[in-house]
C-alpha cells in the first residue's frame, strides 16, 4: 500500500467512528464514502463523484430523526451532511493533539479521549475485556487494508465506556469506603442547550472570545463546524455523533476545574472532603456531610449556569452507603440466573450429549419467567436491564453452539430446547423494550443462532425459524400500532426488525401477511430517507413479488430529488440521491437522466454505471450487516447500559 493511501485511510477514519450516530438502520454506513476518499477511484467515475460531493463550505441542514429512550421518552438524533462529515475529518487530522489536551484537564471525568487509537484489531476474538471497555484497537499489518468492521474508535477512552462499569468498579467501592453520602445529578438537555461559542470560553475565556471574535484557532474552527453542520444554529449542538460528546467534554471539563478551584478556596479538597466523578453529563458527588454535598451542588449549579446549563431537578438522587440501588440488586440477581443456565450449557453432561434432566430443562426454560419476576421484585424498568441481559443471552447462545454435537440426536435436542428458551427471553425483552439498541442485540443473537443451525437437519430447525419469523412479524406489527408519532417520522427500531427478518429469513419473512401489511403501510406514508432504504432492502429480497412496490418507491424518491441546491443543503436529500444512484434495481439510463438534470454534462451510461460502484450509504446485499453489528459490539454505546 502506498504511503499516500495509508495517510488517506488514517485521515478519513472519523467517517467510521466519529461522524455518525450509533443508532442507525443496520444496513446504513459510511463504508463506501470512506473508501471513495481513500482508494484510487476509477478515473471515469472520479469527476462525477466530485460533482456530487462538491461543497461551498456553507451551512448544511442535518437529517433529524427520533429514537426511543424508553417506553415514555424519545431523543432526537442527527445525521449530518456527508460534505460536512468530510470537514470533520480535516478537523481531527489537524487538531487531534488539541482535542486530547483540552480533554485531559479534569480529574473528575470518567469518559474522555486519552490517546489516538491504533488502526484496527486482528479479529473479534482478540478483543479482551480491557479493549472492549476502552474501544482501544490494535495495529494492522503494514501491507493490509484496515477491515472496516474493526475501525471502532478514533481515540482510546479512559476510564469507562458505560456508566454502569463505574458503579461496578473497584474505584466506586473505594469511594464508598471513604464517603458516607452520594448525590447523583445530571445536566438537563445538555447537548440541546450548549451554546457553540462557549467552547472558546472553556479553552480561553469569555472575554478572550469576545475580543478575538473571528480569529482562526482550534476553538473557532470547531465552533464554526458545529454551526455549519446544524443549519448555522449557535444554540444547541447535534446529538449522536462522537464529535458532539467531545465538544461537550471540553466545556464540562472547564466546569469541573472551576468547581474544584472554588471548593479549594473554601478549604474543601478533592479526595479528602469530597469527590466528584462525571460521566459525560452525569455527576456523582461523594461526601461525608449534607453541608459539603450542598456546597458542591451549589457551586456546580453556579458554574453550569455560566454556560446556560442547568441541573435536571427530577433526576436528583440521594443515597447513603452502601450505595446499592434496586437496579444494582436486580443486575446481580439477573447475572445469577444467567450463570445458572451457563453452568448447565458448559457442564460435562450437557456437552456429552446426554439427555437433559428435568431440573436442567426447568432452569433453562424458566429464564424468561425469572427475569420478569426480578423486574417486578425490584420495581425497575426492563429497559434498565435489557442491554446486559441481551448480552448474556448472546453468551448463552454461543455456549449452546459450542456444546452442540451435530452427530448426536440427544445433543441436537438439547441445543434446540436451549435455543428456543433463549429466543423466548430475547423476544420478550425486545417486545417490551423496543429500542434501536435492543434490535442490534437481537440481530446479533439471531446471527449466532443461525450459525449454530448450519448443517442441522430441517426437523431440528424448522420450528425455531418459524418462531423467529412469527415473533419478528409480531414485533413489527406492534411497533406500527403503538407508534404515537406522526407517520412522517422515522421508526429506526421498526426498520431494524424488518431488515433483520428480511436478511435472515428472506421470503419466509416477507411473505408473512403481517409483514406485507407493515411494508405497504410504510410505502403509503410520507417518504423519508431511512424509510426508503428499509423498504427497498426488503422489497429486493423478492423483486418479482414487489415489482410494483419498487416502482412506487423509486418514483416517490425521484420526485424529492428536484434541486441541486436543496441536495447540497439538506443531508437527507444528499443521502437519498447517493443511494438512488447506487441502487441495483434502477436502470442506468434513469440514473443518467437524473444526474444530467441535477449536474449537467453528458456522462455516458458506462460512466454512470462505474459511478454507482462508489456512491451510496446502503448495503443492498446484506453483506455489511454482520460487520456493522461487529463494529457496534466492539464499540459499546456510551450510555448507562
Amino acid at each position: 500500500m502506498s504511503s499516500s493511501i495509508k495517510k488517506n485511510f488514517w485521515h478519513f477514519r472519523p467517517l467510521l467512528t466519529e461522524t455518525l450516530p450509533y443508532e442507525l438502520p443496520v444496513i446504513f454506513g459510511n463504508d463506501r464514502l470512506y473508501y471513495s476518499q481513500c482508494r484510487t477511484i476509477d478515473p471515469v467515475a472520479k469527476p462525477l463523484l466530485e460533482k456530487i460531493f462538491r461543497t461551498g463550505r456553507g451551512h448544511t441542514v442535518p437529517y433529524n430523526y427520533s429514537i426511543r429512550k424508553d417506553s415514555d421518552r424519545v431523543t432526537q438524533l442527527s445525521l449530518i451532511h456527508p460534505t460536512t462529515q468530510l470537514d470533520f475529518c480535516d478537523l481531527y487530522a489537524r487538531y487531534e493533539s488539541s482535542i486530547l489536551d483540552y480533554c485531559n484537564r479534569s480529574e473528575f471525568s470518567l469518559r474522555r479521549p486519552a490517546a489516538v487509537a491504533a488502526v484496527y484489531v486482528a479479529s473479534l476474538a482478540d478483543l479482551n475485556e480491557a479493549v472492549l471497555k476502552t474501544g482501544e484497537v490494535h495495529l494492522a499489518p503494514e501491507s493490509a487494508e484496515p477491515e472496516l468492521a474493526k475501525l471502532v474508535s478514533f481515540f482510546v477512552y479512559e476510564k469507562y465506556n458505560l456508566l454502569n462499569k463505574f458503579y461496578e468498579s473497584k474505584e466506586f467501592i473505594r469511594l464508598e469506603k471513604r464517603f458516607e453520602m452520594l448525590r447523583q445529578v445530571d445536566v438537563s438537555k445538555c447537548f440541546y442547550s450548549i451554546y457553540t461559542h462557549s467552547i472558546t470560553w472553556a479553552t480561553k475565556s469569555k472575554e478572550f472570545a469576545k475580543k478575538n471574535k473571528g480569529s482562526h484557532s482550534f476553538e473557532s474552527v470547531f465552533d464554526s463546524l458545529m454551526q455549519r453542520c446544524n443549519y448555522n444554529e449557535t444554540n444547541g449542538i447535534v446529538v449522536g455523533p462522537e464529535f458532539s460528546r467531545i465538544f461537550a467534554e471540553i466545556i464540562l471539563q472547564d466546569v469541573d476545574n472551576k468547581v474544584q478551584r472554588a471548593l479549594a478556596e473554601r478549604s474543601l479538597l478533592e479526595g479528602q472532603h469530597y469527590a466528584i466523578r462525571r460521566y459525560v453529563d452525569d455527576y456523582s458527588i461523594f461526601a461525608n456531610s449534607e453541608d459539603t454535598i450542598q456546597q458542591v451542588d451549589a457551586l456546580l449549579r453556579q458554574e453550569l449556569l455560566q454556560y446556560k446549563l442547568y441541573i435536571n431537578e427530577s433526576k436528583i438522587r440521594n443515597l447513603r452507603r452502601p450505595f446499592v440501588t434496586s437496579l444494582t440488586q436486580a443486575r446481580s440477581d439477573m447475572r445469577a440466573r444467567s450463570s445458572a443456565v451457563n453452568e448447565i450449557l458448559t457442564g460435562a453432561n450437557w456437552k456429552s450429549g446426554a439427555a437433559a434432566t428435568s431440573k436442567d430443562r426447568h432452569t433453562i426454560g424458566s429464564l424468561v419467567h425469572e427475569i420478569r419476576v426480578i423486574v417486578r421484585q425490584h420495581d425497575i424498568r426492563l429497559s434498565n436491564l435489557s442491554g446486559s441481559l441481551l448480552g448474556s443471552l448472546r453468551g448463552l447462545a454461543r455456549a449452546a453452539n459450542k456444546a452442540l454435537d451435530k452427530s448426536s440426536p440427544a445433543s441436537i435436542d438439547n441445543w434446540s430446547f436451549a435455543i428456543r428458551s433463549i429466543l423466548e427471553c430475547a423476544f420478550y425483552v425486545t417486545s417490551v423494550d423496543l429500542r434501536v439498541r435492543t434490535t442490534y442485540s437481537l440481530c446479533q443473537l439471531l446471527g449466532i443462532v443461525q450459525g449454530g443451525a448450519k448443517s442441522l437437519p430441517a426437523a431440528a430447525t424448522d420450528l425455531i425459524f418459524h418462531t423467529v419469523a412469527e415473533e419478528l412479524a409480531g414485533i413489527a406489527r406492534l411497533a406500527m400500532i403503538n407508534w404515537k408519532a406522526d407517520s412522517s417520522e422515522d421508526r429506526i427500531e421498526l426498520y431494524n426488525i424488518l431488515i433483520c427478518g428480511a436478511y435472515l429469513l428472506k421470503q419466509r419473512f416477507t411473505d408473512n401477511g403481517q409483514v406485507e401489511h407493515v411494508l405497504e403501510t410504510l410505502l403509503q406514508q410520507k417518504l423519508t430517507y431511512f424509510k426508503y432504504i428499509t423498504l427497498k432492502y426488503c422489497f429486493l429480497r423478492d423483486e418479482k413479488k414487489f415489482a410494483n412496490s419498487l416502482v412506487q418507491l423509486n418514483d416517490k424518491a425521484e420526485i424529492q430529488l428536484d434541486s441541486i441546491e436543496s441536495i447540497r443543503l439538506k443531508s437527507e436529500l444528499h443521502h437519498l440521491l447517493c443511494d438512488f444512484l447506487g441502487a441495483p434495481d434502477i436502470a442506468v439510463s434513469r440514473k443518467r437522466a437524473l444526474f444530467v438534470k441535477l449536474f449537467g454534462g453528458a456522462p455516458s451510461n458506462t460512466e454512470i454505471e462505474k459511478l454507482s460502484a462508489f456512491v451510496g450509504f446502503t448495503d443492498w446485499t446484506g453483506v455489511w450487516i454482520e460487520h456493522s453489528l461487529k463494529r457496534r459490539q466492539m464499540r459499546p454505546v456510551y450510555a448507562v447500559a
Side-chain angles (χ1 to χ4, degrees):
M1 189 190 300
S2 70
S3 59
S4 62
I5 292 177
K6 284 182 184 178
K7 182 179 179 181
N8 283 342
F9 277 124
W10 186 268
H11 183 92
F12 291 104
R13 190 167 61 153
L15 293 174
L16 302 173
T17 63
E18 310 296 301
T19 62
L20 298 180
Y22 180 87
E23 294 91 346
L24 291 160
V26 74
I27 52 172
F28 175 90
N30 269 348
D31 302 46
R32 195 173 283 119
L33 174 61
Y34 174 77
Y35 274 138
S36 73
Q37 303 300 313
C38 297
R39 288 175 170 168
T40 301
I41 302 301
D42 189 307
V44 171
K46 187 173 182 179
L48 305 184
L49 198 65
E50 288 175 348
K51 284 187 176 183
I52 294 173
F53 286 92
R54 184 176 299 158
T55 173
R57 298 279 174 172
H59 67 268
T60 54
V61 179
Y63 174 33
N64 296 323
Y65 61 98
S66 296
I67 62 161
R68 287 183 179 272
K69 291 186 72 173
D70 52 43
S71 59
D72 302 324
R73 299 176 297 162
V74 297
T75 296
Q76 179 178 277
L77 304 182
S78 297
L79 174 62
I80 68 170
H81 202 288
T83 57
T84 316
Q85 292 184 47
L86 295 174
D87 293 336
F88 274 100
C89 295
D90 298 338
L91 174 80
Y92 272 68
R94 185 172 182 181
Y95 294 113
E96 62 182 38
S97 296
S98 296
I99 291 172
L100 291 171
D101 178 44
Y102 287 124
C103 289
N104 191 33
R105 299 185 172 191
S106 167
E107 296 180 37
F108 301 163
S109 182
L110 294 172
R111 184 190 186 277
R112 63 177 182 83
V116 176
V119 175
Y120 84 138
V121 294
S123 71
L124 184 61
D126 292 338
L127 285 170
N128 57 34
E129 185 64 20
V131 170
L132 284 171
K133 286 179 180 178
T134 62
E136 185 179 0
V137 285
H138 300 271
L139 190 63
E142 285 191 10
S143 60
E145 266 186 10
E147 183 180 332
L148 300 197
K150 298 165 186 172
L151 288 172
V152 295
S153 174
F154 189 91
F155 293 110
V156 175
Y157 281 79
E158 295 180 349
K159 307 174 188 175
Y160 307 98
N161 70 305
L162 297 173
L163 181 53
N164 183 49
K165 298 291 187 183
F166 168 60
Y167 293 146
E168 296 175 349
S169 68
K170 292 181 179 180
E171 178 180 5
F172 188 80
I173 296 299
R174 287 196 297 270
L175 290 166
E176 187 175 42
K177 289 179 181 177
R178 178 69 185 81
F179 300 103
E180 296 180 10
M181 305 172 66
L182 167 61
R183 175 171 293 179
Q184 297 171 326
V185 301
D186 70 3
V187 181
S188 178
K189 299 180 180 179
C190 181
F191 287 24
Y192 302 112
S193 304
I194 287 177
Y195 181 52
T196 64
H197 294 332
S198 62
I199 191 170
T200 307
W201 310 350
T203 56
K204 300 293 191 297
S205 68
K206 187 178 290 190
E207 294 73 21
F208 179 91
K210 292 183 180 296
K211 288 180 181 179
N212 295 274
K213 193 174 182 180
S215 63
H216 190 80
S217 63
F218 162 68
E219 304 83 26
S220 64
V221 172
F222 208 169
D223 177 8
S224 175
L225 262 182
M226 296 301 284
Q227 292 177 55
R228 283 171 43 209
C229 75
N230 194 27
Y231 208 7
N232 265 1
E233 291 286 342
T234 56
N235 290 319
I237 61 176
V238 295
V239 178
E242 181 60 33
F243 63 72
S244 289
R245 287 187 280 278
I246 289 175
F247 194 88
E249 180 67 22
I250 292 171
I251 291 168
L252 291 175
Q253 289 220 1
D254 185 55
V255 171
D256 294 349
N257 289 333
K258 288 176 178 175
V259 169
Q260 187 171 10
R261 287 196 295 269
L263 288 168
E265 291 172 2
R266 300 185 182 190
S267 299
L268 294 174
L269 304 180
E270 212 285 333
Q272 182 176 342
H273 302 100
Y274 74 93
I276 298 175
R277 297 295 182 268
R278 177 182 52 78
Y279 182 89
V280 189
D281 59 351
D282 289 300
Y283 284 86
S284 296
I285 304 169
F286 300 83
N288 283 317
S289 71
E290 182 67 27
D291 178 66
T292 302
I293 288 273
Q294 289 299 115
Q295 289 191 63
V296 175
D297 185 282
L299 286 171
L300 176 59
R301 291 170 184 267
Q302 179 180 309
E303 294 304 332
L304 286 171
L305 184 60
Q306 301 305 308
Y307 285 99
K308 302 294 189 285
L309 299 174
Y310 303 88
I311 293 297
N312 187 337
E313 301 294 342
S314 66
K315 296 178 104 177
I316 297 174
R317 300 179 67 198
N318 292 296
L319 302 170
R320 287 188 173 272
R321 66 184 179 194
F323 307 136
V324 177
T325 65
S326 57
L327 178 57
T328 304
Q329 297 172 49
R331 285 199 176 104
S332 178
D333 287 351
M334 183 201 72
R335 281 194 292 266
R337 300 299 188 278
S338 298
S339 295
V341 175
N342 188 67
E343 285 181 15
I344 295 170
L345 298 179
T346 57
N349 288 340
W350 193 275
K351 286 185 174 182
S352 70
T357 66
S358 58
K359 181 180 178 182
D360 288 344
R361 287 201 169 223
H362 176 76
T363 301
I364 297 171
S366 63
L367 187 58
V368 66
H369 170 73
E370 294 292 338
I371 296 303
R372 292 170 59 243
V373 169
I374 289 170
V375 170
R376 175 57 63 195
Q377 279 181 339
H378 297 290
D379 193 24
I380 61 169
R381 289 176 179 243
L382 183 61
S383 58
N384 297 130
L385 285 177
S386 58
S388 53
L389 174 55
L390 288 167
S392 296
L393 293 176
R394 292 197 304 271
L396 294 178
R398 291 191 187 95
N401 286 351
K402 190 173 181 181
L404 173 61
D405 178 357
K406 295 184 178 181
S407 65
S408 166
S411 180
I412 293 173
D413 184 61
N414 286 351
W415 175 86
S416 180
F417 178 81
I419 291 298
R420 291 199 306 273
S421 300
I422 291 167
L423 289 176
E424 179 188 22
C425 191
F427 281 121
Y428 172 78
V429 172
T430 307
S431 298
V432 175
D433 182 30
L434 183 56
R435 293 180 294 151
V436 177
R437 295 169 188 177
T438 55
T439 63
Y440 287 156
S441 292
L442 181 63
C443 288
Q444 291 163 354
L445 173 60
L446 292 176
I448 294 167
V449 171
Q450 191 177 57
K454 287 180 180 177
S455 305
L456 286 180
T461 60
D462 274 352
L463 178 59
I464 288 174
F465 288 115
H466 174 76
T467 301
V468 169
E470 290 297 315
E471 289 282 0
L472 289 175
I475 292 173
R477 178 176 171 275
L478 284 174
M480 287 291 290
I481 293 172
N482 296 335
W483 192 264
K484 299 175 183 177
D486 184 82
S487 63
S488 64
E489 291 192 9
D490 282 301
R491 306 162 171 80
I492 310 301
E493 302 88 352
L494 169 61
Y495 299 164
N496 279 342
I497 291 295
L498 293 171
I499 291 166
C500 179
Y503 169 63
L504 292 171
L505 303 171
K506 300 179 175 59
Q507 295 178 18
R508 186 172 190 169
F509 178 72
T510 55
D511 283 345
N512 183 289
Q514 293 184 92
V515 174
E516 289 185 58
H517 176 72
V518 169
L519 295 175
E520 182 61 29
T521 302
L522 290 173
L523 180 60
Q524 299 311 315
Q525 294 174 353
K526 179 182 177 181
L527 188 67
T528 64
Y529 167 64
F530 285 153
K531 192 178 295 181
Y532 172 76
I533 64 174
T534 300
L535 287 173
K536 174 161 287 194
Y537 181 83
C538 292
F539 292 156
L540 287 176
R541 297 318 98 195
D542 191 347
E543 284 192 67
K544 185 176 180 180
K545 175 178 180 177
F546 292 109
N548 291 333
S549 298
L550 282 166
V551 170
Q552 292 183 55
L553 184 64
N554 290 328
D555 288 347
K556 292 179 75 169
E558 190 168 10
I559 289 172
Q560 296 190 25
L561 301 172
D562 61 348
S563 164
I564 186 57
E565 289 76 18
S566 61
I567 289 169
R568 285 183 172 151
L569 174 67
K570 296 180 179 180
S571 174
E572 180 176 14
L573 293 183
H574 191 283
H575 282 91
L576 182 62
L577 170 67
C578 290
D579 275 319
F580 191 92
L581 294 174
D585 62 304
I586 299 176
V588 176
S589 58
R590 184 175 184 179
K591 296 178 183 179
R592 178 182 177 279
L594 177 62
F595 188 93
V596 171
K597 171 188 170 184
L598 294 173
F599 300 101
S604 66
N605 284 353
T606 300
E607 290 173 316
I608 294 296
E609 196 166 13
K610 289 184 178 294
L611 170 68
S612 296
F614 293 99
V615 71
F617 301 87
T618 301
D619 170 27
W620 302 116
T621 66
V623 172
W624 292 357
I625 290 179
E626 184 178 351
H627 102 200
S628 176
L629 292 171
K630 278 185 180 179
R631 185 183 297 159
R632 285 169 170 83
Q633 189 175 343
M634 290 189 287
R635 176 196 164 198
V637 291
Y638 69 95
V640 175

